[in-house]
Amino acid sequence: MALNRILVVAEFFAGAPLAASLELLTKARQLADTVEAVTWGDDPQSVAAPLGAYGARRVYHAGELGGKLPGVPVAAAIAALVQSDGAPDAILIPTTYDGRDIAGRLSARLDRSVLTNVVDLVADDGALVSEHAIFGGTEILNARFTGPAPAIFVVRSKSFAAEEADEATTPEVIAVTPGELGAADTATITERHVEERTGPKLDEAAVVVSGGRGLGEAGRYQLIEELARLLHGAPGASRAIVDAGWVPYAYQVGQTGKTVKPTVYLAAGISGATQHMVGMKGAKHIIAINKDAEAPIFSIADLGIVGDVQKVLPKLVEALKARS
Amino acid sequence: MNIAVCVKQIPDPASPGKLDPTSHTLDRTGKLVLDPSDEYGVEMALQLVDQAGGGEVTLVSMAPHAEVSGLRTALAMGAAKAILITDDTLQGADALGTAKVLAKALGRVGADLILAATESTDGYTGTLPVQVAELLGLPSITFAKRVRTENGRVLVDRQTEAGYDEVECPLPAVVTVTAGVVEPRYPSFKGIMAAKSKPIDQLKVGDLDVPADQVGWAGAGQEIVSVAPAEARKGGEVVVDEGDGAERIVAFLEQLKVI
Ligand SMILES: Cc1cc2nc3c(=O)[nH]c(=O)nc-3n(C[C@H](O)[C@H](O)[C@H](O)COP(=O)(O)OP(=O)(O)OC[C@H]3O[C@@H](n4cnc5c(N)ncnc54)[C@H](O)[C@@H]3O)c2cc1C
Ligand SMILES: Nc1ncnc2c1ncn2[C@@H]1O[C@H](COP(=O)(O)O)[C@@H](O)[C@H]1O
């Protein structure tokens, strides 16, 4: 039995909807008769078409926000919508920095529980059951809400494929204003710092080359970046080298980092802790280089090279350079 | 400046986690330790109080069976005192239920700044601090990689997908810190000794004026349907590098038509 109505939180960056939001719109279409989206920031005129392409019937726009962090005003706008139009069966929110803020704020405001780290959703008897990968993905937990609607799910990226709807809709864009929000709504962005990066995004790249502590020193991460560039992919990292300050957090793959599902994932000097593997074992093909033949990463690698990254990586770079 | 830090006490992350076979909730019957993620909040708080030239750090924790080991660790680092909410009726609480309890306790502390981690090591729902902020009507800034206070405001470098944003708001406020924001100190011997006599105020749900039907199993708005082992991914060929490792990788990539 299909659900009646699902509301998707659609986050935009640099004028385009995030892939994570499009993934949720796609899934929502499969689960419910009516899919709606709520967004903010970008010009209300420009948001309709890209969301309509993924099947949103109606788009609610919470305003430009004037540099405020979105958590409070967007949650308040959604709460106002629930008040005026009734609760949708479910609200799907992507696991992003702002998405998690919105989810927490909304949960407390509506007095509804929230389920986070969702990796799949299944309709069961008119309600949704969520799937969660726990203990580093070694076990799958299924959960559901017991209280009244809306069910609030915060879903990890790459849980679903993003596909355009067969027929694009022309959604109506409706402004929602949350009203006076007081002290809670005072967190303001005074300056943005964008690190210039070339090549595909980590969670969208077809090839991901990740390095770990086995690289030995921060300077050798350059080999990982070079390889990623040669393979038109993105560089990634284990938490060990993120915590060590070799690379920014945005590079981290795993439970507390990104989930990636590339065609090829190459892990160099990474042991294969469950918390790392939960973020990459959905890759189509896995290649691992590790000097320890017993490293857990080999248990899921399609091609495992027992060897020294200091020997194998430079040769690999040379071989690929020679071809390009 | 007075700072409250939410600290979670969790089963030792070094030993593999377990679920209670009937309730499917995390087994928390053994000894608990300070969540390593919260060491950053405690350290950050101590440094901010130092920089402000005065004030104290109060810990707030909700934990089963009157567990204090994790609190003692944080007190040994330098926190002044702690509030521990421990009550059998809290068993089975979801994040929102926990947030309601912590918010009441934090309301009593009345700190200028409330710190927490972006997510806990064992539950990692990552929503609790923001739920607390909403319940208290306070602003929040999450994912802090740098924190300063100045003229009654908190200024944060907030991690973003593309880099970071400078974000600020007036105090009081809730800030969540990422791992690595500061280097947590090791408790000194003197600190460990001093911690033994620092006050831990133990409270029950009844002391906090939270309706009983909003916490624990009764208040949880969610339930676990089932838990099953995940399908294991199979390994393939593992070969020892005889100087041909790179060639083998190239051949594999060719076969996959990636190059
Ligand atoms: C709550 C929690 C969440 C976590 N989340 C994440 C997460 O999101 N992502 C993540 O990655 N980790 C995460 N971790 C950490 C995880 O448990 C591991 O500590 C981490 O993944 C280890 O990183 P690593 O493989 O680089 O380092 P190590 O485990 O130290 O492994 C280094 C590997 O390099 C090999 N090596 C050494 N020298 C060489 C050489 N010269 N050539 C080839 N190989 C060599 C070694 O044999 C070893 O296998 C989390 C942990 C916890 C508790
Ligand atoms: N039971 C608790 N007692 C005190 N603080 C908590 C508790 N649970 C969560 N927190 C705080 O909230 C953060 C996020 O927790 P979570 O929502 O479980 O990921 C934790 O890192 C702690 O700082």
Side-chain angles (χ1 to χ4, degrees), chain A residues 113 140 142 193 256 283 301 323, chain B residues 119 166 222 225 228 233 236 254:
Chain A
S113 199
I140 300 294
N142 289 296
H193 298 261
T256 38
R323 300 170 58 98
Chain B
E119 57 186 31
E166 291 178 44
Q222 51 181 253
V225 181
R233 186 181 167 126
E254 271 176 345

Side-chain angles (χ1 to χ4, degrees), chain B residues 120-131:
Chain B
S120 63
T121 299
D122 63 338
Y124 56 98
T125 60
T127 53
L128 183 129
V130 178
Q131 288 167 320

Side-chain angles (χ1 to χ4, degrees), chain A residues 100 116, chain B residues 5-9 35 37-38 60-64 85 95 98 102 115-129 131-132 176-177:
Chain A
R100 295 211 316 198
T116 56
Chain B
V5 188
C6 298
V7 296
K8 196 171 180 186
Q9 303 179 84
D35 186 332
S37 307
D38 285 323
V60 178
S61 186
M62 172 178 134
I85 308 100
T98 308
L102 290 177
L115 294 179
T118 49
E119 57 186 31
S120 63
T121 299
D122 63 338
Y124 56 98
T125 60
T127 53
L128 183 129
Q131 288 167 320
V132 165
T176 73
V177 297

Side-chain angles (χ1 to χ4, degrees), chain A residues 211-215 237-241 252-257 268-276 289-292 295 307-310, chain B residues 13 120-122 124:
Chain A
R213 187 148 41 200
L215 290 173
S238 72
R239 172 157 154 184
I241 72 168
Q252 185 174 314
V253 172
Q255 178 178 308
T256 38
I270 292 178
S271 59
T274 53
Q275 297 95 345
H276 183 79
I289 309 168
N290 195 303
K291 69 172 185 193
D292 175 8
D308 187 342
V309 288
Q310 294 188 51
Chain B
S120 63
T121 299
D122 63 338
Y124 56 98

Side-chain angles (χ1 to χ4, degrees), chain B residues 178-219:
Chain B
T178 55
V181 64
V182 280
E183 187 62 43
R185 71 193 68 184
Y186 286 106
S188 65
F189 179 71
K190 211 171 121 219
I192 294 168
M193 295 315 287
K196 293 193 171 144
S197 55
K198 286 181 176 171
I200 298 180
D201 191 7
Q202 284 203 25
L203 301 178
K204 297 261 174 231
V205 173
D207 299 327
L208 286 172
D209 178 35
V210 186
D213 63 353
Q214 303 216 350
V215 298
W217 292 116

